[in-house]
Amino acid sequence: MGTLWQDVKYGARMLLKHRGVTLVAALTLALGIGANAALFSVVNAIALRPLPVEKPDELVAVFSSDASGEDYGTTNYVDFTDW
């Protein structure tokens, strides 16, 4: 346990002696951890969390087509209620 305490003191002295390297290492770690947390939050919100509906396997997407040449277009609510 004594050598561990000596190693910690030596590491602290070296970090204080070389402040530029310490700052670069701390900024690199902060950016990496922040980017990782942000990416996980996005993936968690989009892909991992289940949909907030009772039966997500029964969800459908409704598309329409018309004579303008568009194969599939979005459908508005008024057309949906007409169907």
Side-chain angles (χ1 to χ4, degrees):
M1 198 63 159
T3 57
L4 175 66
W5 184 246
Q6 287 176 348
D7 289 342
V8 169
K9 288 193 306 188
Y10 177 74
R13 279 197 313 266
M14 289 299 112
L15 287 175
L16 290 174
K17 185 177 179 182
H18 303 287
R19 292 178 190 228
V21 174
T22 303
L23 180 65
V24 169
L27 284 175
T28 303
L29 280 171
L31 287 174
I33 291 169
N36 207 0
L39 186 62
F40 176 75
S41 296
V42 170
V43 169
N44 186 35
I46 293 174
L48 300 178
R49 209 173 263 172
L51 295 174
V53 294
E54 275 187 40
K55 299 177 183 177
D57 55 331
E58 294 182 6
L59 289 177
V60 296
V62 179
F63 295 99
S64 63
S65 63
D66 56 8
S68 69
E70 284 276 332
D71 286 339
Y72 298 105
T74 57
T75 304
N76 60 29
Y77 183 73
V78 176
D79 287 341
F80 178 74
T81 55
D82 286 343
W83 291 334

